[in-house]
Structure formats: structure tokens, C-alpha cells
Amino acid sequence: MSAGQALRHWQASRPARPQELDPALLWSALTLLLFGLVMVYSASIATAEGSRFTGHQPAYFLIRHGVFLAVGLIAAVMVFQVPLRAWQQAAPWLFLAGVVLLVLVLVPFLGREVNGARRWLPLGLVNLQPSELMKLFAVLYAADYTARKLADMGSFRRGFVPMALVMALVGGLLLREPDFGAFVVIICIALGILFLGGINGRLFAMLFVFLAAAFVALIWFSPYRRERIFGFMDPWSDAFGKGYQLSHALIAFGRGEWLGVGLGASVEKLFYLPEAHTDFLLAVIAEELGLAGVLAVILLFALIVQRAFAIGRRALQLERVHAGLVAQGIGIWIGVQAFINMGVNMGLLPTKGLTLPLMSFGGSGILANCVALAILLRVDYENRALMRGQAA
């Protein structure tokens, strides 16, 4: 090993100092995590106090979410120590492990079914949701695949077909649960990374048209999804049936006006709005903190996505293709999922069952998000270390 290589290795492996991390990314992520903790507590007090399952403890969801957040942050610190090269080498095996978990969810007596969906593996005190981990594994695998196949990105047979077959397998498993929302997010991750990796433009356009037709077919031939679409288009036509969640979410937005009714003063969370602390957390934020609170959340997510793409672009300029695609893939994941959740809450998109990243209640989601952000910060840290090494 040369002296320059030894210096770069030492710089990449030593503990990070605060000034060596992207401050905008770090503080916006921490703000959303802590803000989410406050809002989960506010949105869940009535539900926790009125449920026998929670022992009528008002702070039940706050305590659990706080534990999830602590575990996620500890995992993030540990993951940050792992070089990107190790993640690239482990990507195929992590992806395979994710597929195995998706299969186990569908096995009777192993997977847990809630509200007609089988998406969880019971692990004693907590439930694991493999689809949340699969989003992270999809980012790592798609980035590794694209980095290895850069020379074949213009080829339909060598560049596109292998990835399409793998994603079709994952998509089929997710639709069996069913988890249409996770399916959409993972497909967007794979397509986005392939596009950024330089896939043939004509092939990408054909693929986009095919997927659009497939989505329409999946919705049209599924009565459950078709009812959700029609309910989304006019929730007030059946406000006590298929349009119940959306109508109450819209009421929450309307009540919030500019500055909201005040933290903790939401009425919709009092057993009117289902899943207030998970899928419809933004509606509670809108009611309690108004347009100002919603805009603050949107701006923080936009900043995280912008920093992810900036970090990825810098890595690509440094010829770190895999690291760059991982960073931008994480940006796609967080951006797409946040956009879908916000669109559902605002009545712009049909309900998907997707949580708001970094904020909504859920152990698997918080863990996956924290690990993803740690990897993103690691990409930025290695970028800075390499640039310092080049300058030296």
C-alpha cells in the first residue's frame, strides 16, 4: 500500500468530526425525527388512552416510538462506521435476505395479518415489516447492479432484463401481502437508479409506458384498489364508507388554516381519523400547526432530498459510481415515499398505506430510515476524505 493510499484509508476509517458531516442533511433529519416523536405523541394520546390493548396508557405509543428512535439512532451510529465498499459487497446477500423475509411473511402461522394485509413478522415484543427493510436493500442492490453493468446499460437483454426479473419477483411478493405502496416505492427506486446509471432513453420510455399500463391493470382488476380510486376521486360521496379516512383528513387540513388550532388541540385525532399516528400524521400536523407546520415539513424533506442528490453527484464526480447511486437512490426513496404520503393526506393521491418517513410511528420504518441516512452521511464523509486526500 502506497503512502497516499494509507492516508486515504486512515481518513476514511477514523471517527468523524461534526464539521466533516453535511450539516444541512444532519440537522434536517434530526429535526424531522424529533418533530415526529412529538407529533406521534400528540396524535396517539386519545387512541392509547381508550384502548385495552395499550393498557389505557396515554404515553404508550410515545414510549414505544421513543425506543424505536433510540434503537434507530444507535444502529445509525454503528452503520456509519461501515465503509461503502462493504455495503457494495454485501448488497446481493442483503437483497436475497430481504426476499426470504418477504416469503416468510406469506407463510401461514409465521406472518401476522392486520386489516386483511399480511405484512409483519411477529418477534415477541415487536413486529418486523420486511417491506421497509426491502426498500433499503433495493437501493443497495440496484446501485451495485448498475455500477457493475454500466457498459451494458444500453442493452435490453444484458442491462435491463436481469433487473426487471428480480424486481418482478419482489413486486409479486409485495402484491401478495398486499402492499401496493411499498411496491410503487421500490419500483421507483429501481427505475430511478437505472435512469441515473444511463439506461437507454428509448428503452426507459418504453418501460415507463408498460409500467403505467400495468398499474392501470392492477387497479382495474382489483375491486379493492378500484374502490380506493373512486373513493379518492370523490370522498364526500361516501364519507362514512370508502371515503371516511380522506374526508376526515381534509377536515383536519381545513380546520388548521394558516397557523393551526394549537399543538395537542386536534379534534380529528379523537377517534375520528383512523391511523392518525401512522399514515395520516401529516393531517394532524396540518390541524394543529396549520399551513406553516405543513410547509416546514415539506421544506425539510425537500432539503434532505436535495442534499442526497448533491452528495451523490459529488461522489459521481469523484468516480465513486456505486456510492453516488446509493446516495441518489436514498434520495429517491425518501422523496417518493414522502410525496405519496403527503399526496394521500391532502387528497391528491389515493390511499396507499405508506407512512411518512422519519416521522410516523413504526419500528421497522424508523430503523430503515435511520440506517439509510447513516449510509448517506457515510457517502458524504468518504467524499470529503477523498477530496482531502487528493488535495494533500
Side-chain angles (χ1 to χ4, degrees), residues 266-327:
S266 167
V267 171
E268 286 300 317
K269 69 184 181 184
L270 304 178
F271 303 103
Y272 294 105
L273 180 62
E275 311 297 340
H277 58 298
T278 56
D279 299 356
F280 285 89
L281 186 66
L282 188 69
V284 178
I285 294 173
E287 186 178 3
E288 296 190 349
L289 302 177
L291 178 64
V294 173
L295 287 178
V297 171
I298 292 174
L299 289 174
L300 286 170
F301 274 111
L303 182 58
I304 288 176
V305 173
Q306 186 273 329
R307 295 314 305 156
F309 273 83
I311 290 169
R313 185 167 59 250
R314 177 60 57 86
L316 292 173
Q317 291 171 349
L318 295 170
E319 299 183 353
R320 303 178 65 230
V321 177
H322 173 258
L325 293 176
V326 166

Side-chain angles (χ1 to χ4, degrees), residues 126-353:
V126 296
N127 295 313
L128 176 67
Q129 188 171 357
S131 60
E132 292 292 341
L133 300 181
M134 196 65 200
K135 296 169 188 174
L136 174 61
F137 299 160
V139 169
L140 296 172
Y141 178 77
D144 172 58
Y145 175 88
T146 305
R148 287 187 287 106
K149 295 275 190 174
L150 279 179
D152 296 323
M153 281 293 103
S155 169
F156 176 79
R157 182 175 61 85
R158 296 189 304 275
F160 169 71
V161 171
M163 176 62 78
L165 292 176
V166 169
M167 288 303 161
L169 170 63
V170 173
L173 292 172
L174 289 171
L175 292 176
R176 287 281 296 172
E177 294 185 6
D179 194 345
F180 190 69
F183 170 69
V184 171
V185 172
I186 289 175
I187 292 300
C188 287
I189 290 170
L191 287 179
I193 290 177
L194 285 175
F195 178 77
L196 294 169
I199 193 172
N200 180 277
R202 182 180 300 177
L203 177 60
F204 186 82
M206 293 172 55
L207 175 61
F208 185 82
V209 172
F210 170 77
L211 284 176
F215 282 145
V216 171
L218 284 171
I219 292 169
W220 186 256
F221 291 106
S222 171
Y224 170 71
R225 297 191 186 101
R226 194 166 62 244
E227 287 180 6
R228 279 196 167 189
I229 290 293
F230 291 133
F232 142 74
M233 291 179 175
D234 186 10
W236 307 107
S237 64
D238 188 11
F240 293 98
K242 58 190 177 184
Y244 183 80
Q245 281 183 308
L246 180 53
S247 62
H248 280 280
L250 295 177
I251 290 171
F253 271 86
R255 291 193 75 245
E257 298 184 349
W258 293 99
L259 299 176
V261 297
L263 184 63
S266 167
V267 171
E268 286 300 317
K269 69 184 181 184
L270 304 178
F271 303 103
Y272 294 105
L273 180 62
E275 311 297 340
H277 58 298
T278 56
D279 299 356
F280 285 89
L281 186 66
L282 188 69
V284 178
I285 294 173
E287 186 178 3
E288 296 190 349
L289 302 177
L291 178 64
V294 173
L295 287 178
V297 171
I298 292 174
L299 289 174
L300 286 170
F301 274 111
L303 182 58
I304 288 176
V305 173
Q306 186 273 329
R307 295 314 305 156
F309 273 83
I311 290 169
R313 185 167 59 250
R314 177 60 57 86
L316 292 173
Q317 291 171 349
L318 295 170
E319 299 183 353
R320 303 178 65 230
V321 177
H322 173 258
L325 293 176
V326 166
Q328 294 181 342
I330 291 172
I332 292 171
W333 165 19
I334 294 177
V336 167
Q337 184 165 333
F339 175 80
I340 293 175
N341 179 273
M342 293 175 184
V344 167
N345 276 255
M346 297 178 188
L348 303 175
L349 295 171
T351 54
K352 286 286 189 298

